[in-house]
Amino acid sequence: MTRGDRFYDFSLRLLMLALGAALIGCIAWLAWRWSHPPAGNATVVPLTQVAPKVEPVPAMDAANSDAPQQVLLAPGQVFKCQNGGKVTFTDRPCPSEAR
């Protein structure tokens, strides 16, 4: 072995030891920080409990309960709406100004 090869091998071993020590130091520092978190400067905001307002539910008319339910969507139908030169297709009827 030549003198240059020994120096190269020795320098690689020193570099590997330095990097290993730095890695172990970083892991130890992170473990210490995780187990001892810094004291926070969080300000405590007082909370006041507020009771919800209860409103009475309006009663339904008996006359409306017998009427058939209104269908808002038209299944199976597609409406073509034109508004300002743009054409859209929807399952809802078009507004009167867009027909």
Side-chain angles (χ1 to χ4, degrees):
M1 243 183 184
T2 63
R3 181 173 159 86
D5 289 341
R6 287 182 184 167
F7 179 73
Y8 184 72
D9 187 36
F10 181 69
S11 64
L12 283 177
R13 286 181 192 242
L14 280 178
L15 181 62
M16 186 174 63
L17 287 174
L19 288 176
L23 179 65
I24 290 172
C26 287
I27 291 173
W29 181 72
L30 287 173
W32 183 79
R33 289 282 303 226
W34 182 61
S35 63
H36 299 90
N41 292 337
T43 57
V44 178
V45 178
L47 298 178
T48 305
Q49 186 172 3
V50 178
K53 295 179 183 177
V54 180
E55 296 179 8
V57 178
M60 291 183 56
D61 276 343
N64 288 344
S65 64
D66 295 337
Q69 295 294 324
Q70 180 183 9
V71 177
L72 298 177
L73 300 177
Q77 285 185 335
V78 177
F79 297 95
K80 178 180 177 182
C81 302
Q82 295 180 355
N83 188 7
K86 294 182 180 181
V87 177
T88 58
F89 296 93
T90 180
D91 59 347
R92 297 182 180 142
C94 302
S96 59
E97 66 271 356
R99 288 187 185 177

